[in-house]
């Protein structure tokens, strides 16, 4: 049978030595502390004081043996709250009693439950919370700063919207289990795109959203919303290799010599093709990050997507595309539009060059990677220049190069018709 400690929490007064006021504190007894054989009396001071206490003249607290002066106990109402004359002191006493109730409940619960029971009780409370609210708080915590990637924030917001569409805004943690995860996975694989884009989500887009869902569930386990690591049991959506559209050297030169209505866009696009930098990194690139030395030009900056500090050597042609140097804190491409606004002017420029491929700004980064590998640069160097954290990410471009090589291998064909006729002639004679 479990022994009940019967700990009692009481509001007490302590007289200030130099003025006519009393400090408030909680007296807690008995408290059993590891390493102590006897029960302890614990005091918790509340950083509050009162002056207008009502004293009970019938209840003597103590008598000074030298002076014979008596002190009395304070009057308390039916609820045990110390009575004061002043309104402000009354409010202070109610505050103190509120803290007392909170502490009393904690000690009472400690008597009623063991550690496992307490954890279960806490879990039950947490599982009543709304899952989408937690998702939004986690988004703000992880990616709320200005340095976070806009695309990552957009993916998180889209995922939350898909969760609401699938299960409603009132989804509670208690409903999240393996069955829910499997059903939500199947939903994403057939869900329609949001916004103006038509059709269902691509396999890789669904995989991205579902991986964020798994990350949220994993963090929720750490934060005590699940008894087990549910995310470790959830099987993700496998990525499908997607085609990385890119430009050939001839097409790149064609673009270079094609006028563009937006010269800043033209220079930034070609700069991306020569350096492999993303749009977000080019847009925030400042002149102080360009280090021009004798026979060596480099950029040293922090990637917005991976947060890694990168050292990237660049060519003289790339630095020429930057234009006339300005103040260190000024942006190199000061008037470069956001990624959501450049699709139409970019498409117009591509069409003017006579190129029929579907080229986005990010395709210039693909172009850099593909051309570097096709020209013989080893994959590890290209991976470092792209700022990839894993070389497996860069291997996607290597497969594109292999396809080009296979195509090129069959480009040279011999005329076997003449050889065949010669063999027939020799055999007949």
């Amino acid at each position: 049978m479990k022994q009940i400690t019967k700990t009692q929490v009481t509001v007490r007064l302590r007289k200030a030595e130099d003025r006519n006021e009393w400090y408030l504190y909680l007296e807690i007894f008995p408290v059993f502390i590891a390493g102590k054989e006897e029960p302890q009396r614990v005091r918790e001071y509340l950083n509050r004081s009162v002056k207008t206490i009502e004293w009970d003249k019938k209840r003597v607290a103590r008598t000074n043996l030298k002076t014979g002066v008596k002190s009395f106990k304070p009057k308390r109402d039916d609820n045990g709250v110390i009575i004061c004359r002043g309104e402000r002191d009354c409010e202070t006493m109610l505050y103190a009693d509120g803290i007392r109730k909170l502490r009393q409940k904690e000690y009472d619960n400690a008597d009623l439950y063991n550690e496992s029971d307490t954890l279960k009780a806490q879990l039950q409370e947490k599982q009543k919370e709304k899952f989408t609210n937690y998702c939004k708080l986690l988004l703000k915590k992880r990616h709320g700063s200005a340095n976070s990637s806009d695309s990552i924030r957009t993916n998180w917001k889209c995922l939350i919207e898909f969760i609401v569409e699938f299960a409603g805004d009132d989804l509670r943690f208690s409903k999240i289990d393996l069955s829910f995860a499997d059903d939500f996975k199947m939903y994403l694989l057939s869900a329609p795109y949001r916004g103006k884009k038509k059709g269902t989500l691509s396999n890789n887009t669904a995989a991205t959203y579902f991986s964020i869902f798994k990350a949220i569930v994993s963090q929720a386990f750490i934060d005590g919303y699940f008894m087990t690591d549910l995310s470790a049991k959830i099987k993700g959506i496998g990525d499908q290799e997607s085609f990385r559209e890119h430009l050939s050297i001839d097409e790149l030169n064609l673009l270079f010599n094609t006028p563009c209505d937006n010269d800043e866009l033209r220079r930034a696009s070609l700069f991306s093709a020569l350096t492999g930098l993303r749009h977000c990194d080019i847009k925030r690139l400042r002149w102080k990050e360009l280090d021009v030395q004798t026979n060596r030009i480099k950029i040293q900056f922090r990637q917005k997507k991976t947060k890694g500090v990168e050292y990237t050597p660049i060519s003289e042609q790339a630095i020429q595309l930057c234009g006339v140097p300005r103040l260190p804190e000024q942006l190199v491409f000061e008037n470069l539009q956001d990624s959501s606004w450049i699709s139409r002017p970019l498409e117009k420029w591509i069409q003017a060059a006579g190129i029929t491929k579907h080229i986005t700004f990010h395709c210039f980064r693909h172009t850099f990677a593909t051309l570097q590998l096709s020209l013989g640069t080893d994959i590890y160097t290209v991976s470092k220049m792209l700022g990839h954290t894993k070389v497996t990410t860069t291997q996607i471009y290597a497969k594109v190069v292999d396809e080009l090589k296979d195509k090129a291998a069959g480009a040279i064909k011999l005329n076997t018709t003449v050889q065949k006729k010669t063999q027939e002639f020799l055999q007949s004679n």
Side-chain angles (χ1 to χ4, degrees):
M1 181 179 294
K2 184 175 179 178
Q3 185 175 352
I4 304 299
T5 60
K6 300 179 182 178
T7 300
Q8 186 73 30
V9 183
T10 309
V11 177
R12 300 291 190 194
L13 301 170
R14 180 175 177 270
K15 178 69 170 65
E17 294 180 0
D18 56 346
R19 53 191 179 275
N20 189 37
E21 62 180 335
W22 285 261
Y23 299 115
L24 301 180
Y25 68 92
L26 299 181
E27 184 184 78
I28 308 168
F29 181 84
V31 178
F32 294 90
I33 300 175
K36 301 282 186 180
E37 293 183 1
E38 298 296 325
Q40 304 296 304
R41 190 179 301 273
V42 175
R43 288 185 176 185
E44 180 182 346
Y45 284 89
L46 302 180
N47 195 26
R48 296 287 192 281
S49 62
V50 292
K51 296 180 180 180
T52 61
I53 305 163
E54 289 277 1
W55 300 103
D56 190 347
K57 300 297 183 178
K58 296 179 181 180
R59 301 178 65 210
V60 177
R62 61 176 57 88
T63 302
N64 191 311
L65 296 177
K66 292 182 179 180
T67 63
V69 176
K70 296 179 180 180
S71 61
F72 302 94
K73 293 182 179 180
K75 287 184 178 180
R76 295 177 182 266
D77 63 17
D78 293 339
N79 294 318
V81 180
I82 295 174
I83 300 172
C84 294
R85 296 186 300 275
E87 183 178 351
R88 183 175 180 181
D89 285 351
C90 288
E91 292 176 354
T92 301
M93 283 302 178
L94 288 174
Y95 165 80
D97 192 65
I99 300 297
R100 181 198 64 78
K101 289 177 181 176
L102 181 65
R103 293 289 181 266
Q104 188 67 62
K105 185 176 181 180
E106 290 173 355
Y107 281 97
D108 290 345
N109 285 342
D111 277 342
L112 292 173
Y113 303 107
N114 58 27
E115 186 176 354
S116 176
D117 293 332
T118 303
L119 289 174
K120 287 179 181 177
Q122 292 173 350
L123 178 64
Q124 287 177 354
E125 288 301 314
K126 280 180 171 287
Q127 290 230 319
K128 294 177 184 178
E129 295 182 23
K130 290 174 65 171
F131 183 70
T132 50
N133 285 352
Y134 178 81
C135 295
K136 293 171 185 176
L137 288 172
L138 195 58
L139 167 59
K140 187 176 180 180
K141 181 179 178 181
R142 289 191 177 186
H143 306 292
S145 67
N147 292 327
S148 294
S149 169
D150 292 335
S151 61
I152 292 177
R153 276 196 295 266
T154 300
N155 285 339
W156 274 66
K157 290 175 182 177
C158 286
L159 167 70
I160 294 170
E161 289 174 1
F162 278 121
I163 292 172
V164 172
E165 287 180 4
F166 175 69
D169 188 47
D170 197 47
L171 174 66
R172 308 288 166 159
F173 272 95
S174 58
K175 299 295 183 182
I176 308 295
D177 54 18
L178 287 175
S179 177
F180 176 91
D182 286 338
D183 291 343
F184 182 56
K185 183 199 304 182
M186 297 306 297
Y187 167 76
L188 286 177
L189 288 169
S190 59
Y193 274 107
R194 306 192 62 77
K196 297 180 180 179
K197 195 171 183 179
K198 296 182 179 180
T200 57
L201 295 179
S202 68
N203 183 90
N204 290 354
T205 301
T208 298
Y209 292 152
F210 197 67
S211 67
I212 297 172
F213 170 77
K214 283 189 63 179
I216 294 171
V217 172
S218 176
Q219 185 61 48
F221 165 67
I222 295 171
D223 292 340
Y225 288 86
F226 299 108
M227 287 289 287
T228 59
D229 187 3
L230 193 63
S231 66
K233 301 177 182 180
I234 298 173
K235 188 176 180 181
I237 300 174
D239 287 335
Q240 289 182 350
E241 290 187 10
S242 57
F243 178 71
R244 303 292 177 99
E245 189 65 272
H246 62 282
L247 297 164
S248 66
I249 293 181
D250 289 339
E251 289 169 331
L252 206 56
N253 281 309
L254 188 60
L255 270 179
F256 178 77
N257 293 295
T258 301
C260 179
D261 294 339
N262 188 332
D263 186 63
E264 190 94 333
L265 171 61
R266 172 184 170 275
R267 291 187 296 106
S269 301
L270 295 170
F271 184 81
S272 177
L274 294 180
T275 62
L277 293 185
R278 300 179 181 87
H279 174 275
C280 58
D281 292 322
I282 293 175
K283 184 173 173 57
R284 61 205 289 265
L285 184 65
R286 299 183 184 277
W287 282 100
K288 67 178 182 180
E289 294 169 321
L290 293 177
D291 184 10
V292 182
Q293 302 174 357
T294 305
N295 298 324
R296 196 178 200 186
I297 308 171
K298 64 180 181 179
I299 306 175
Q300 191 161 352
F301 69 105
R302 183 178 295 276
Q303 283 200 81
K304 187 172 182 182
K305 182 175 181 180
T306 65
K307 304 297 183 292
V309 177
E310 300 296 337
Y311 153 72
T312 304
I314 62 175
S315 65
E316 289 186 13
Q317 287 186 333
I319 199 70
Q320 288 171 5
L321 289 168
C322 294
V324 180
R326 294 191 292 277
L327 296 175
E329 290 296 332
Q330 283 189 278
L331 295 171
V332 176
F333 297 93
E334 207 161 24
N335 298 313
L336 182 60
Q337 293 174 298
D338 292 336
S339 55
S340 56
W341 293 96
I342 61 176
S343 298
R344 192 172 296 277
L346 180 61
E347 182 183 4
K348 186 178 178 181
W349 179 40
I350 298 293
Q351 290 177 349
I355 298 171
T356 57
K357 294 177 179 177
H358 177 65
I359 300 296
T360 64
F361 193 97
H362 202 67
C363 291
F364 291 102
R365 178 174 165 86
H366 298 331
T367 297
F368 170 83
T370 306
L371 292 181
Q372 285 286 353
L373 289 169
S374 63
L375 292 171
T377 307
D378 70 272
I379 192 169
Y380 296 100
T381 300
V382 175
S383 182
K384 286 293 183 183
M385 295 178 78
L386 289 171
H388 287 163
T389 54
K390 296 179 181 178
V391 74
T392 50
T393 308
T394 321
Q395 286 174 345
I396 296 171
Y397 299 105
K399 291 180 180 179
V400 174
V401 173
D402 288 341
E403 289 177 7
L404 293 174
K405 287 180 180 178
D406 291 342
K407 205 178 230 183
I412 302 175
K413 295 183 179 179
L414 299 174
N415 188 350
T416 58
T417 305
V418 175
Q419 183 185 27
K420 187 177 181 180
K421 287 183 177 180
T422 302
Q423 288 177 343
E424 290 174 351
F425 174 78
L426 291 174
Q427 287 174 357
S428 64
N429 288 285

